[in-house]
Amino acid sequence: MSTQEIPEENLPAGQDTAHGAVKVADNPFADPGLPPHKPRVQDIDEKAARRSERAVAFMFVLSMLATIGFIASYVIFPVDKNVYIWPFGHVSALNFALGWTLGLALFFIGAGAVHWARTLMSDVEIADERHPMEASPEVKAKVMADFAAGAAESGFGRRKLIRNTLFGALALVPLSGVVLLRDMGPLPEKKLRSTLWAKGKLLINMNTHEPLRPEDVAVGSLTFAMPEGLSEHDHNFQTEIAKAALMIVRIQPEDIKDKRELEWSHEGIVAFSKICTHVGCPISLYEQQTHHVLCPCHQSTFDLSDGARVIFGPAGHALPQLRIGVNDKGFLEAHGDFDEPVGPAFWERG
Protein backbone atom coordinates (compact mmCIF):
# COMPACT_ATOMS: atom_id res chain seq x y z
CA MET A 1 0.00 0.00 0.00
CA SER A 2 1.40 3.42 -0.97
CA THR A 3 1.21 6.56 1.13
CA GLN A 4 -1.36 7.90 -1.30
CA GLU A 5 -3.79 5.17 -0.13
CA ILE A 6 -3.36 5.88 3.62
CA PRO A 7 -5.73 8.45 5.14
CA GLU A 8 -3.86 11.58 6.14
CA GLU A 9 -5.02 11.41 9.75
CA ASN A 10 -3.36 7.95 10.13
CA LEU A 11 0.06 9.06 8.96
CA PRO A 12 2.81 9.68 11.56
CA ALA A 13 3.50 13.27 12.54
CA GLY A 14 5.98 14.90 10.18
CA GLN A 15 4.97 12.74 7.15
CA ASP A 16 4.98 14.58 3.83
CA THR A 17 1.82 13.17 2.22
CA ALA A 18 2.67 14.61 -1.15
CA HIS A 19 6.06 12.98 -1.69
CA GLY A 20 6.11 10.19 0.93
CA ALA A 21 9.14 11.69 2.64
CA VAL A 22 9.55 11.84 6.42
CA LYS A 23 10.56 15.09 7.97
CA VAL A 24 13.18 14.94 10.72
CA ALA A 25 11.55 15.96 14.03
CA ASP A 26 13.31 18.33 16.37
CA ASN A 27 13.45 15.61 19.09
CA PRO A 28 12.83 12.08 17.70
CA PHE A 29 13.25 10.59 21.22
CA ALA A 30 10.74 12.78 23.02
CA ASP A 31 9.32 11.32 26.23
CA PRO A 32 5.86 9.98 25.35
CA GLY A 33 4.84 10.06 29.01
CA LEU A 34 2.92 7.43 30.97
CA PRO A 35 -0.52 6.20 29.90
CA PRO A 36 -3.43 7.33 32.09
CA HIS A 37 -3.95 5.10 35.13
CA LYS A 38 -7.02 2.87 35.03
CA PRO A 39 -8.26 1.77 38.46
CA ARG A 40 -8.93 -1.90 39.10
CA VAL A 41 -12.12 -3.33 40.57
CA GLN A 42 -10.35 -3.79 43.90
CA ASP A 43 -9.39 -0.10 43.92
CA ILE A 44 -13.01 1.08 43.87
CA ASP A 45 -14.89 -1.86 45.43
CA GLU A 46 -13.93 -2.80 48.99
CA LYS A 47 -15.86 -6.08 48.74
CA ALA A 48 -13.76 -7.13 45.76
CA ALA A 49 -10.63 -6.16 47.67
CA ARG A 50 -11.74 -8.30 50.60
CA ARG A 51 -12.35 -11.24 48.27
CA SER A 52 -8.84 -10.89 46.87
CA GLU A 53 -7.46 -10.66 50.41
CA ARG A 54 -9.21 -13.87 51.39
CA ALA A 55 -7.98 -15.61 48.21
CA VAL A 56 -4.38 -14.64 48.95
CA ALA A 57 -4.69 -15.74 52.57
CA PHE A 58 -6.25 -19.04 51.45
CA MET A 59 -3.28 -19.78 49.17
CA PHE A 60 -0.84 -18.98 51.97
CA VAL A 61 -2.75 -21.35 54.29
CA LEU A 62 -2.56 -24.07 51.63
CA SER A 63 1.18 -23.48 51.46
CA MET A 64 1.45 -23.92 55.24
CA LEU A 65 -0.54 -27.18 55.08
CA ALA A 66 1.69 -28.46 52.28
CA THR A 67 4.78 -27.65 54.33
CA ILE A 68 3.33 -29.56 57.29
CA GLY A 69 2.66 -32.44 54.90
CA PHE A 70 6.27 -32.29 53.72
CA ILE A 71 7.53 -32.63 57.31
CA ALA A 72 5.00 -35.36 58.10
CA SER A 73 6.10 -37.37 55.05
CA TYR A 74 9.47 -38.01 56.71
CA VAL A 75 7.66 -39.72 59.57
CA ILE A 76 4.91 -41.51 57.65
CA PHE A 77 6.72 -43.10 54.70
CA PRO A 78 9.66 -45.52 55.02
CA VAL A 79 12.57 -44.69 52.76
CA ASP A 80 12.35 -48.06 50.96
CA LYS A 81 8.57 -48.20 50.41
CA ASN A 82 7.39 -48.30 46.78
CA VAL A 83 3.79 -47.71 45.67
CA TYR A 84 1.98 -47.88 42.35
CA ILE A 85 0.64 -44.51 41.20
CA TRP A 86 -0.96 -44.12 37.80
CA PRO A 87 0.46 -43.03 35.37
CA PHE A 88 3.91 -42.96 36.96
CA GLY A 89 4.06 -46.67 37.79
CA HIS A 90 5.99 -47.95 40.81
CA VAL A 91 7.65 -45.02 42.56
CA SER A 92 9.16 -44.26 45.95
CA ALA A 93 6.34 -43.20 48.26
CA LEU A 94 8.64 -40.90 50.23
CA ASN A 95 10.09 -39.13 47.20
CA PHE A 96 6.66 -38.76 45.61
CA ALA A 97 5.18 -37.25 48.78
CA LEU A 98 8.14 -34.93 49.36
CA GLY A 99 8.13 -33.71 45.78
CA TRP A 100 4.42 -32.95 45.66
CA THR A 101 4.18 -31.32 49.09
CA LEU A 102 7.24 -29.13 48.60
CA GLY A 103 6.14 -28.21 45.09
CA LEU A 104 2.66 -27.22 46.30
CA ALA A 105 4.10 -25.25 49.22
CA LEU A 106 6.30 -23.18 46.91
CA PHE A 107 3.59 -22.85 44.25
CA PHE A 108 0.98 -21.46 46.62
CA ILE A 109 3.44 -18.95 48.07
CA GLY A 110 4.26 -17.73 44.57
CA ALA A 111 0.63 -17.75 43.41
CA GLY A 112 -0.48 -15.87 46.52
CA ALA A 113 2.24 -13.26 46.12
CA VAL A 114 1.41 -12.74 42.44
CA HIS A 115 -2.32 -12.42 43.16
CA TRP A 116 -1.58 -10.01 45.99
CA ALA A 117 0.59 -7.81 43.76
CA ARG A 118 -1.83 -7.82 40.82
CA THR A 119 -5.01 -7.10 42.76
CA LEU A 120 -4.19 -5.29 46.00
CA MET A 121 -0.79 -3.63 45.79
CA SER A 122 -0.54 -0.22 44.14
CA ASP A 123 -0.16 -0.47 40.37
CA VAL A 124 0.51 3.21 39.70
CA GLU A 125 3.60 3.56 37.50
CA ILE A 126 6.16 6.04 38.80
CA ALA A 127 9.07 7.43 36.81
CA ASP A 128 12.19 8.32 38.76
CA GLU A 129 15.17 10.17 37.36
CA ARG A 130 18.48 8.36 37.46
CA HIS A 131 21.09 9.70 39.83
CA PRO A 132 24.86 9.07 40.08
CA MET A 133 25.71 5.85 41.92
CA GLU A 134 29.19 6.99 42.93
CA ALA A 135 29.64 8.73 46.27
CA SER A 136 31.16 12.18 46.39
CA PRO A 137 34.86 12.57 47.30
CA GLU A 138 33.86 14.06 50.67
CA VAL A 139 31.71 11.02 51.55
CA LYS A 140 34.49 8.63 50.46
CA ALA A 141 37.04 10.42 52.61
CA LYS A 142 34.75 10.38 55.65
CA VAL A 143 34.00 6.65 55.25
CA MET A 144 37.68 5.77 55.03
CA ALA A 145 38.48 7.97 58.02
CA ASP A 146 35.69 6.36 60.07
CA PHE A 147 36.94 2.89 59.12
CA ALA A 148 40.51 3.68 60.12
CA ALA A 149 39.33 5.17 63.42
CA GLY A 150 37.18 2.12 64.14
CA ALA A 151 40.02 -0.27 63.38
CA ALA A 152 42.35 1.65 65.66
CA GLU A 153 39.83 1.80 68.50
CA SER A 154 39.06 -1.93 68.26
CA GLY A 155 42.65 -2.86 68.96
CA PHE A 156 42.48 -5.47 66.19
CA GLY A 157 46.10 -4.88 65.27
CA ARG A 158 47.40 -4.90 68.83
CA ARG A 159 45.27 -7.69 70.35
CA LYS A 160 46.90 -10.63 68.58
CA LEU A 161 45.28 -13.25 70.81
CA ILE A 162 41.79 -12.04 69.94
CA ARG A 163 42.66 -11.69 66.29
CA ASN A 164 44.12 -15.17 65.94
CA THR A 165 41.32 -16.89 67.85
CA LEU A 166 38.76 -15.02 65.72
CA PHE A 167 40.44 -16.31 62.57
CA GLY A 168 40.40 -19.81 64.02
CA ALA A 169 36.70 -19.61 64.90
CA LEU A 170 35.78 -18.32 61.45
CA ALA A 171 37.81 -21.07 59.82
CA LEU A 172 36.26 -23.87 61.88
CA VAL A 173 32.61 -22.86 61.96
CA PRO A 174 31.96 -23.88 58.30
CA LEU A 175 32.97 -27.42 59.23
CA SER A 176 29.71 -27.74 61.16
CA GLY A 177 27.97 -27.88 57.78
CA VAL A 178 29.69 -31.21 57.11
CA VAL A 179 27.44 -32.73 59.77
CA LEU A 180 24.46 -31.98 57.51
CA LEU A 181 25.87 -34.42 54.97
CA ARG A 182 25.05 -37.21 57.41
CA ASP A 183 21.36 -36.63 56.66
CA MET A 184 21.85 -37.56 53.02
CA GLY A 185 21.32 -41.20 53.92
CA PRO A 186 22.61 -44.11 55.99
CA LEU A 187 26.22 -45.15 55.66
CA PRO A 188 26.66 -48.01 53.15
CA GLU A 189 28.57 -50.16 55.68
CA LYS A 190 28.98 -53.65 54.10
CA LYS A 191 25.85 -53.47 51.92
CA LEU A 192 27.76 -52.50 48.77
CA ARG A 193 30.20 -55.38 49.09
CA SER A 194 27.72 -58.23 48.61
CA THR A 195 24.65 -59.12 46.53
CA LEU A 196 21.84 -61.71 46.71
CA TRP A 197 23.92 -64.20 44.75
CA ALA A 198 24.97 -67.22 46.83
CA LYS A 199 25.97 -70.83 46.30
CA GLY A 200 23.11 -72.82 44.78
CA LYS A 201 21.04 -69.80 43.65
CA LEU A 202 19.44 -70.48 40.27
CA LEU A 203 19.89 -68.05 37.37
CA ILE A 204 16.40 -66.73 36.52
CA ASN A 205 15.75 -65.29 33.07
CA MET A 206 14.54 -61.71 33.58
CA ASN A 207 12.22 -61.93 30.55
CA THR A 208 10.57 -65.32 31.12
CA HIS A 209 11.12 -65.51 34.92
CA GLU A 210 12.09 -69.16 34.43
CA PRO A 211 15.33 -70.91 35.51
CA LEU A 212 17.95 -71.05 32.77
CA ARG A 213 19.37 -74.23 31.31
CA PRO A 214 22.63 -74.33 29.29
CA GLU A 215 20.68 -75.10 26.10
CA ASP A 216 18.67 -71.86 26.59
CA VAL A 217 21.80 -69.79 25.95
CA ALA A 218 22.87 -69.85 22.30
CA VAL A 219 26.34 -68.92 21.09
CA GLY A 220 26.46 -65.17 20.44
CA SER A 221 23.29 -64.42 22.39
CA LEU A 222 22.92 -62.02 25.31
CA THR A 223 20.69 -62.93 28.24
CA PHE A 224 19.92 -61.05 31.46
CA ALA A 225 19.33 -62.89 34.70
CA MET A 226 18.52 -62.26 38.36
CA PRO A 227 18.96 -64.46 41.42
CA GLU A 228 16.37 -66.98 42.48
CA GLY A 229 13.94 -65.63 45.08
CA LEU A 230 13.96 -62.01 43.90
CA SER A 231 10.65 -60.68 42.57
CA GLU A 232 9.81 -57.45 40.78
CA HIS A 233 7.03 -56.92 43.32
CA ASP A 234 9.42 -56.88 46.29
CA HIS A 235 9.69 -53.49 47.97
CA ASN A 236 13.50 -53.70 47.77
CA PHE A 237 13.64 -54.99 44.19
CA GLN A 238 15.29 -51.89 42.73
CA THR A 239 17.92 -51.81 45.47
CA GLU A 240 18.85 -55.47 45.04
CA ILE A 241 18.69 -55.72 41.25
CA ALA A 242 20.97 -52.68 41.03
CA LYS A 243 23.69 -54.91 42.50
CA ALA A 244 22.69 -58.40 41.33
CA ALA A 245 21.78 -57.81 37.65
CA LEU A 246 23.59 -60.42 35.59
CA MET A 247 24.67 -60.51 31.95
CA ILE A 248 25.08 -63.96 30.38
CA VAL A 249 26.71 -64.74 27.03
CA ARG A 250 27.93 -67.94 25.42
CA ILE A 251 31.34 -67.94 23.77
CA GLN A 252 33.16 -70.79 22.13
CA PRO A 253 35.53 -72.10 24.85
CA GLU A 254 38.52 -71.82 22.52
CA ASP A 255 37.79 -68.09 22.10
CA ILE A 256 38.04 -67.37 25.83
CA LYS A 257 41.48 -65.86 26.52
CA ASP A 258 41.39 -65.50 30.31
CA LYS A 259 42.14 -68.71 32.23
CA ARG A 260 40.05 -67.88 35.29
CA GLU A 261 37.11 -66.80 33.14
CA LEU A 262 37.17 -70.20 31.44
CA GLU A 263 37.31 -72.01 34.81
CA TRP A 264 34.35 -70.00 36.16
CA SER A 265 32.22 -70.63 33.05
CA HIS A 266 30.16 -73.64 31.98
CA GLU A 267 30.67 -74.89 28.43
CA GLY A 268 31.54 -71.35 27.35
CA ILE A 269 28.63 -69.74 29.20
CA VAL A 270 30.02 -66.79 31.18
CA ALA A 271 28.20 -64.53 33.63
CA PHE A 272 29.31 -60.97 34.36
CA SER A 273 27.80 -58.09 36.30
CA LYS A 274 25.54 -55.93 34.15
CA ILE A 275 26.49 -52.80 36.12
CA CYS A 276 29.14 -50.62 34.49
CA THR A 277 32.16 -49.91 36.68
CA HIS A 278 32.21 -46.24 35.69
CA VAL A 279 29.03 -44.70 37.18
CA GLY A 280 26.76 -47.75 37.43
CA CYS A 281 24.77 -47.64 34.18
CA PRO A 282 23.23 -50.93 32.96
CA ILE A 283 25.16 -52.45 30.06
CA SER A 284 23.05 -53.81 27.23
CA LEU A 285 24.93 -53.47 23.91
CA TYR A 286 26.76 -56.64 22.80
CA GLU A 287 28.94 -57.09 19.71
CA GLN A 288 28.66 -60.75 18.79
CA GLN A 289 31.72 -60.95 16.55
CA THR A 290 34.17 -59.20 18.88
CA HIS A 291 32.61 -60.29 22.22
CA HIS A 292 32.67 -56.65 23.32
CA VAL A 293 29.93 -55.05 25.42
CA LEU A 294 29.36 -51.31 25.35
CA CYS A 295 27.93 -49.09 28.09
CA PRO A 296 25.42 -46.70 26.45
CA CYS A 297 26.08 -43.89 28.93
CA HIS A 298 29.76 -43.05 28.37
CA GLN A 299 30.86 -45.72 25.88
CA SER A 300 33.02 -47.78 28.23
CA THR A 301 33.81 -51.01 26.38
CA PHE A 302 34.63 -54.40 27.94
CA ASP A 303 36.02 -57.55 26.34
CA LEU A 304 33.95 -60.50 27.59
CA SER A 305 36.39 -62.99 26.08
CA ASP A 306 39.26 -61.62 28.17
CA GLY A 307 37.96 -61.32 31.72
CA ALA A 308 35.68 -58.36 30.80
CA ARG A 309 38.66 -56.03 30.99
CA VAL A 310 38.26 -52.38 29.94
CA ILE A 311 39.47 -51.71 26.40
CA PHE A 312 37.96 -48.25 25.93
CA GLY A 313 36.27 -45.51 27.91
CA PRO A 314 36.37 -44.08 31.43
CA ALA A 315 35.54 -47.26 33.40
CA GLY A 316 38.16 -47.93 36.07
CA HIS A 317 38.19 -51.72 36.27
CA ALA A 318 36.81 -54.89 34.70
CA LEU A 319 33.30 -56.21 35.22
CA PRO A 320 33.11 -58.70 38.12
CA GLN A 321 32.47 -62.29 37.04
CA LEU A 322 30.05 -64.72 38.74
CA ARG A 323 31.19 -68.33 38.96
CA ILE A 324 28.45 -70.60 37.63
CA GLY A 325 27.75 -74.29 37.06
CA VAL A 326 24.89 -76.75 36.57
CA ASN A 327 22.96 -78.49 39.35
CA ASP A 328 21.71 -82.07 39.30
CA LYS A 329 18.46 -80.96 37.60
CA GLY A 330 20.29 -79.35 34.69
CA PHE A 331 19.71 -75.71 35.66
CA LEU A 332 22.42 -73.06 35.75
CA GLU A 333 23.28 -72.00 39.28
CA ALA A 334 25.74 -69.70 41.04
CA HIS A 335 28.70 -71.09 42.96
CA GLY A 336 28.78 -68.07 45.28
CA ASP A 337 28.68 -64.31 45.18
CA PHE A 338 30.83 -61.98 43.06
CA ASP A 339 34.42 -62.04 44.25
CA GLU A 340 34.47 -58.20 44.41
CA PRO A 341 31.93 -55.38 44.79
CA VAL A 342 29.98 -54.65 41.63
CA GLY A 343 29.63 -51.26 39.97
CA PRO A 344 31.86 -48.22 40.34
CA ALA A 345 34.34 -47.73 43.16
CA PHE A 346 33.00 -46.24 46.41
CA TRP A 347 34.64 -44.44 49.29
CA GLU A 348 35.07 -47.39 51.65
CA ARG A 349 35.98 -49.99 49.04
CA GLY A 350 39.14 -51.84 49.99
Side-chain angles (χ1 to χ4, degrees):
M1 180 181 291
S2 67
T3 56
Q4 301 296 330
E5 300 172 347
I6 303 175
E8 185 174 351
E9 61 271 15
N10 294 337
L11 288 173
Q15 179 85 24
D16 188 340
T17 58
H19 302 89
V22 179
K23 297 180 180 179
V24 178
D26 294 338
N27 184 6
F29 303 106
D31 186 359
L34 296 175
H37 176 258
K38 295 181 180 180
R40 301 162 300 188
V41 176
Q42 290 83 358
D43 296 332
I44 58 179
D45 186 354
E46 183 59 25
K47 290 184 178 179
R50 289 295 182 91
R51 287 196 298 269
S52 294
E53 181 182 3
R54 287 192 293 268
V56 173
F58 179 67
M59 285 186 271
F60 288 162
V61 170
L62 290 178
S63 176
M64 289 187 283
L65 294 177
T67 301
I68 294 173
F70 179 86
I71 298 172
S73 298
Y74 273 108
V75 181
I76 297 174
F77 298 107
V79 69
D80 56 351
K81 181 177 178 59
N82 290 333
V83 294
Y84 179 82
I85 299 177
W86 186 90
F88 304 102
H90 290 279
V91 297
S92 168
L94 177 60
N95 290 345
F96 190 83
L98 293 179
W100 272 100
T101 52
L102 181 59
L104 290 174
L106 297 177
F107 171 79
F108 284 121
I109 288 178
V114 170
H115 192 62
W116 184 7
R118 291 179 63 88
T119 61
L120 296 175
M121 294 184 183
S122 174
D123 66 337
V124 178
E125 296 186 16
I126 300 175
D128 192 8
E129 297 295 334
R130 293 185 178 181
H131 59 276
M133 299 294 294
E134 185 179 11
S136 64
E138 294 79 9
V139 173
K140 289 182 179 180
K142 185 177 185 306
V143 170
M144 296 305 296
D146 291 344
F147 179 81
E153 293 173 359
S154 67
F156 191 77
R158 296 186 297 109
R159 308 292 183 180
K160 294 183 179 181
L161 180 61
I162 294 178
R163 181 184 61 194
N164 295 339
T165 51
L166 173 62
F167 287 155
L170 292 176
L172 289 177
V173 71
L175 297 180
S176 60
V178 177
V179 179
L180 299 177
L181 298 177
R182 180 62 181 86
D183 195 40
M184 295 179 66
L187 296 175
E189 299 173 348
K190 300 290 185 180
K191 291 181 291 186
L192 297 179
R193 296 183 179 275
S194 60
T195 71
L196 289 182
W197 290 109
K199 184 175 178 59
K201 287 261 187 172
L202 298 180
L203 277 61
I204 306 299
N205 190 314
M206 291 196 66
N207 293 323
T208 64
H209 301 285
E210 297 293 334
L212 282 167
R213 295 178 179 272
E215 55 267 26
D216 297 332
V217 185
V219 175
S221 65
L222 176 65
T223 306
F224 300 124
M226 62 182 178
E228 177 188 14
L230 183 62
S231 172
E232 294 179 356
H233 301 292
D234 296 341
H235 74 281
N236 63 339
F237 174 78
Q238 297 296 339
T239 300
E240 296 301 335
I241 198 63
K243 299 186 294 180
L246 201 63
M247 177 173 51
I248 302 171
V249 297
R250 190 164 198 163
I251 306 173
Q252 295 292 353
E254 58 270 18
D255 293 337
I256 298 178
K257 307 170 187 176
D258 186 78
K259 181 180 179 181
R260 194 188 77 162
E261 177 182 351
L262 183 61
E263 293 176 352
W264 284 23
S265 67
H266 175 77
E267 298 178 355
I269 301 175
V270 295
F272 289 96
S273 171
K274 185 184 175 182
I275 310 304
C276 180
T277 57
H278 177 217
V279 292
C281 296
I283 298 174
S284 57
L285 304 176
Y286 177 56
E287 297 176 352
Q288 184 184 79
Q289 301 300 322
T290 62
H291 309 303
H292 295 168
V293 287
L294 178 71
C295 176
C297 292
H298 305 97
Q299 288 70 56
S300 292
T301 307
F302 306 85
D303 186 356
L304 296 189
S305 66
D306 191 11
R309 65 182 181 87
V310 183
I311 60 175
F312 179 80
H317 52 279
L319 297 173
Q321 183 179 1
L322 185 71
R323 188 169 188 172
I324 60 174
V326 175
N327 63 11
D328 54 1
K329 295 182 180 180
F331 293 109
L332 291 171
E333 66 174 7
H335 283 181
D337 199 355
F338 293 103
D339 65 327
E340 60 177 315
V342 302
F346 53 94
W347 66 273
E348 65 168 8
R349 180 173 179 167

